[in-house]
Amino acid sequence: MIRRQTLPDRSGHFGPFGGKFVPETVMAALTELEREYAAARRDPTFRRALRSLLRDYAGRPTPLYFAKRLSHRLGVNIYLKREDLLHTGAHKINNTLGQGLLAVRMGKQRLIAETGAGQHGVATATVAALFGLTCEVFMGEEDMQRQALNVVRMRLLGATVTPVTGGTKTLKDATSEAIRNWVTTVRTSHYCIGSVVGPHPYPMLVRDFQSVIGQEARRQILQKTGRLPDLLLACVGGGSNAIGLFHPFRHDRRVEMIGVEAGGSSLTPGHHAATLMKGRPGVLHGANSLLLQDRFGQVLPTESISAGLDYPGVGPEHAYYQLVKRARYVAVSDRRALQGAQLLARTEGILPALEPAHAIGYLAQAAWRLRRGAPIIVGLSGRGDKDVQTLARHLHAADPRHV
Amino acid sequence: MQQIRATFDRLRHQRRKALIPFVMGGDPSLASTPSMLLALQDAGADLIEVGIPFSDPLADGPIIQAASARALAAGATPARVLAAVAAARPRLTVPVVALSYWNPVAQFEGQPGLEALRAFVRGARRSGLSGVIVPDLPVEESFAFRRIAGREQVAMILLAAPTSPAARLRMIARASSGFVYYVSVTGTTGIRRALPPHLVDGVRQLKLLTTQPVCVGFGISTPAQAAMIARVADGVIVGSAVIRAMAQGTTTSRKISNAAQCVARLRKAL
């Protein structure tokens, strides 16, 4: 079980996971970030500024919505934590506002970001515009094609979107390229990592900024039902929205937590992104965590219908939760994620992004084990506008009558 | 480890600076790697750095990234690169050090945790390697590996950067063995027209903190740049320029002679 003292430890480790595995050039910047963040979190001015931006600019608190028709259909009481209603359309803005304020505090003039689905890129570009910083977003060429809408949004916000053509042309290579750029411009740029991955202090920093999701959800469910939920359900790529929801419940032993990974087209190597299920310990992008890799330590390609989950690594805190059995991780295939998106759209009039559609896709299976009427909170991390073309293409192929 | 020390001692007596070319093991092929190493030695290398390819080389620019990808496509694995060095060993007189990212080392031969490190270090020593460089393993995370390497008399060469504050430089210099690898630029490996103006001061500062040899790498490509750095450093590391010259050859033997010519030109300038 998770020890009561706060994780990570001083050197940035969550049990055997975490740490700092980066070129020496950026080590000083990580130390600076650690120091500044420690000072900022104690500083009432910083906290007030972040709180007011989250409320007035991003639109917090987000509702915890009781999905009545979906609940009726599945026989459990489903509450959706509506991060899709935030400014820019996903939970990513919670983190970029926090890191943006930190960057300004550190006197940095430029933000660097990587993005898969584009939601983190849009959130970073938004915050850069808000604070008057320049912004460069690295994005895999394949992701730029499947998330063309978000590319346009980033450019409209004044960001430079740099296509990454190496390797798999997805999030993994965008992250590598962002780190390379950071190594080069470390004195003037802040690397705004979008998930609970990367070297210490990022997994801690991003988790803290995203924990607002779980803090609100905990308060809201107690208000609505007078009790804690039986289950928390959230999708996991790098794992920021899931950690944001899980972390404030970590000491509530009775609350079960399930992270839903991208099962892709099948769970054979190279065709999924289910790192917690199929990965082994390894180091990628600055942290020791679980990793999809071959026998020789080379990182394997991944596959997922959702660009945001298409990543061979995962946050070290999730690897730790799995190790100590505080959370469980499952995978949902592309096909079931598509069905999940459609189910939520038709029963509740909410079109989710393909990432949280994985969590919706797992609901039926989760509900089956639970008693009737058991309360469940599902992290609805983002809205589906960006995925409309992908949805149309796949649903049309499956059944021409549909779209 | 002793071989590296002996090399720098000899060079100091001769008032010469070390020329350290870098090539990727398995590029263009595993079969060509032993002849490549021998050709570099004949062209005047004092020490050779051989890369173990990784799918995600964070500290490398496009030229070495491409070399990594070619080597992986050619079937290079850590054990096969070590075997290629071993094959050249009987005729190699210069020390060879391996450069690898942490993950392939930490997964060596599919073993878990420390077992992998022990197997890797033992394998390196048996293949006649004198040291290892792991660019994404900072001094804080390197303790276990340094202990294992030390026991097997394999040097663990650590990197120092222009952004490292004095306290870190001191810690790195103390923990590094063989030599200290000073990164000349804030950036990735690659060819640069100009080197940063504070480079000389940075190297001098590091030299004041340690009695170990200090070698400078990243961004150095021309004989003039090498000569400039050799005035303050004990050695010059050149990677991308050698690999670019190599890659322009059309046949394997052309590739090897191109790389050797590049090294010979640098040798003349030192």
Side-chain angles (χ1 to χ4, degrees):
Chain A
M1 269 296 149
I2 290 178
R3 290 167 301 163
R4 282 206 80 89
Q5 71 239 46
T6 43
L7 285 167
D9 66 15
R10 282 171 55 104
S11 61
H13 288 87
F14 302 84
F17 303 114
K20 289 177 188 163
F21 295 86
V22 288
E24 174 61 25
T25 309
V26 297
M27 286 299 286
L30 291 176
T31 314
E32 181 196 9
L33 182 59
E34 257 177 285
R35 201 176 45 231
E36 281 295 332
Y37 175 59
R41 77 200 292 190
R42 285 192 306 266
D43 178 358
T45 321
F46 179 87
R47 288 157 56 150
R48 212 173 312 128
L50 181 57
R51 212 166 30 234
S52 101
L53 282 170
L54 285 173
R55 187 186 57 224
D56 300 333
Y57 186 74
R60 298 214 75 91
T62 58
L64 185 72
Y65 165 71
F66 176 56
K68 199 169 153 199
R69 274 174 31 90
L70 184 64
S71 297
H72 185 72
R73 171 85 68 100
L74 297 175
V76 285
N77 285 348
I78 296 159
Y79 294 84
L80 302 175
K81 185 57 178 161
R82 297 290 310 273
E83 298 298 294
D84 62 317
L85 293 178
L86 285 172
H87 179 47
T88 71
H91 71 293
K92 297 287 184 188
I93 193 82
N94 302 326
N95 168 46
T96 54
L97 280 171
Q99 286 199 49
L101 277 175
L102 267 180
V104 170
R105 213 181 136 96
M106 291 188 292
K108 307 279 181 183
Q109 296 113 43
R110 178 170 174 268
L111 296 180
I112 307 164
E114 81 295 331
T115 198
Q119 290 303 89
H120 174 59
V122 168
T124 308
T126 299
V127 165
L130 177 68
F131 294 141
L133 307 169
T134 56
C135 179
E136 181 165 0
V137 180
F138 293 87
M139 193 168 184
E141 217 171 35
E142 186 186 324
D143 289 342
M144 283 180 76
Q145 277 164 22
R146 54 180 169 171
Q147 302 290 350
L149 174 66
N150 275 340
V151 175
V152 176
R153 288 171 78 195
M154 285 182 266
R155 287 183 173 150
L156 286 171
L157 290 160
T160 307
V161 183
T162 304
V164 175
T165 53
T168 57
K169 301 179 175 59
T170 58
L171 183 53
K172 176 190 79 137
D173 297 284
T175 307
S176 295
E177 213 45 47
I179 294 175
R180 290 191 185 103
N181 187 280
W182 190 40
V183 170
T184 310
T185 61
V186 65
R187 289 189 175 102
T188 52
S189 304
H190 171 71
Y191 178 20
C192 187
I193 292 189
S195 195
V196 285
V197 299
H200 179 65
Y202 282 104
M204 170 182 82
L205 190 83
V206 179
R207 173 252 274 160
D208 290 354
F209 289 139
Q210 291 295 1
S211 286
V212 67
I213 302 172
Q215 285 155 11
E216 283 177 11
R218 198 171 185 284
R219 217 165 31 235
Q220 288 164 325
I221 193 95
L222 285 173
Q223 259 164 23
K224 279 180 198 278
T225 67
R227 53 162 298 181
L228 291 173
D230 283 14
L231 175 65
L232 303 176
L233 206 57
C235 64
V236 178
S240 72
N241 95 88
I243 279 288
L245 181 61
F246 293 177
H247 191 259
F249 289 90
R250 70 197 181 284
H251 298 312
D252 302 314
R253 302 268 170 105
R254 294 231 175 93
V255 180
E256 195 186 349
M257 302 172 176
I258 298 181
V260 184
E261 299 193 289
S265 59
S266 84
L267 284 180
T268 52
H271 295 286
H272 62 86
T275 309
L276 287 148
M277 290 188 73
K278 298 285 180 184
R280 283 186 295 117
V283 168
L284 176 69
H285 298 147
N288 185 21
S289 184
L290 294 173
L291 183 60
L292 294 170
Q293 57 187 324
D294 70 12
R295 191 157 86 68
F296 304 106
Q298 307 296 345
V299 181
L300 286 170
T302 51
E303 191 187 307
S304 170
I305 195 167
S306 69
L309 303 183
D310 204 351
Y311 184 68
V314 69
E317 193 162 356
H318 283 293
Y320 180 71
Y321 281 12
Q322 176 168 269
L323 181 75
V324 300
K325 299 192 161 55
R326 182 61 192 93
R328 228 158 39 83
Y329 297 87
V330 298
V332 153
S333 67
D334 287 348
R335 202 169 52 85
R336 280 202 4 241
L338 286 165
Q339 288 166 355
Q342 235 181 342
L343 175 67
L344 189 64
R346 303 242 166 135
T347 54
E348 297 291 341
I350 298 170
L351 184 63
L354 279 172
E355 288 80 11
H358 283 73
I360 306 289
Y362 187 71
L363 260 175
Q365 223 173 316
W368 183 76
R369 290 187 300 114
L370 297 171
R371 61 179 178 78
R372 211 170 165 75
I376 297 180
I377 297 178
V378 181
L380 193 61
S381 59
R383 63 176 191 228
D385 310 32
K386 68 182 174 66
D387 296 318
V388 165
Q389 282 183 332
T390 309
L391 280 160
R393 199 168 53 244
H394 282 86
L395 294 174
H396 186 76
D399 182 353
R401 283 170 310 169
H402 265 122
V403 178
Chain B
M1 193 137 70
Q2 281 94 345
Q3 212 192 350
I4 299 178
R5 199 173 303 145
T7 298
F8 281 104
D9 285 346
R10 180 174 50 78
L11 288 168
R12 197 173 308 128
H13 277 286
Q14 299 171 342
R15 293 172 175 275
R16 280 176 53 213
K17 298 303 171 78
L19 173 60
I20 310 175
F22 167 89
V23 285
M24 185 60 72
D27 175 34
S29 66
L30 280 157
S32 69
T33 297
S35 352
M36 177 72 82
L37 298 177
L38 293 165
L40 297 183
Q41 168 176 282
D42 294 344
D46 299 296
L47 198 149
I48 299 171
E49 230 184 82
V50 59
I52 291 174
F54 179 48
S55 53
D56 298 79
L58 281 188
D60 285 306
I63 294 176
I64 296 182
Q65 278 180 54
S68 264
R70 287 194 299 264
L72 287 173
T77 67
R80 286 178 184 163
V81 172
L82 296 186
V85 176
R89 194 71 259 181
R91 287 161 60 207
L92 272 177
T93 53
V94 300
V96 179
V97 300
L99 183 141
S100 174
Y101 285 82
W102 183 233
N103 204 50
V105 170
Q107 310 289 327
F108 191 66
E109 312 229 291
Q111 306 217 45
L114 291 178
E115 280 313 307
L117 302 185
R118 285 196 195 102
F120 176 78
V121 170
R122 230 174 284 139
R125 183 178 49 75
R126 283 200 200 118
S127 309
L129 281 151
S130 307
V132 287
I133 303 171
V134 185
D136 60 345
L137 189 69
V139 58
E140 289 88 339
E141 297 282 358
S142 69
F143 183 73
F145 195 34
R146 272 189 279 140
R147 206 184 43 209
I148 292 167
R151 224 179 275 149
E152 295 281 336
Q153 291 290 304
V154 171
M156 171 95 211
I157 297 147
L158 296 179
L159 278 73
T163 50
S164 313
R168 279 192 69 80
L169 286 179
R170 222 170 280 131
M171 185 161 69
I172 291 164
R174 209 175 303 137
S176 187
S177 55
F179 61 88
V180 185
Y181 189 138
Y182 186 80
V183 175
S184 74
V185 292
T186 58
T188 52
T189 58
I191 292 166
R192 286 176 181 79
R193 208 163 282 157
L195 290 169
H198 302 298
L199 174 57
V200 169
D201 292 341
V203 177
R204 283 214 177 99
Q205 192 200 356
L206 179 57
K207 294 273 303 175
L208 290 176
L209 296 173
T210 179
T211 53
Q212 300 218 49
V214 172
C215 299
V216 179
F218 283 49
I220 304 158
S221 59
T222 66
Q225 287 171 337
M228 194 271 276
I229 288 158
R231 284 208 294 271
V232 283
D234 302 290
V236 181
I237 303 161
V238 183
S240 296
V242 175
I243 289 174
R244 186 178 61 175
M246 182 217 80
Q248 279 162 357
T250 43
T251 61
T252 300
S253 62
R254 265 336 273 260
K255 285 177 198 282
I256 293 173
S257 67
N258 278 3
Q261 272 166 27
C262 175
V263 169
R265 269 197 304 277
L266 291 159
R267 176 79 276 167
K268 251 187 232 154
L270 287 192

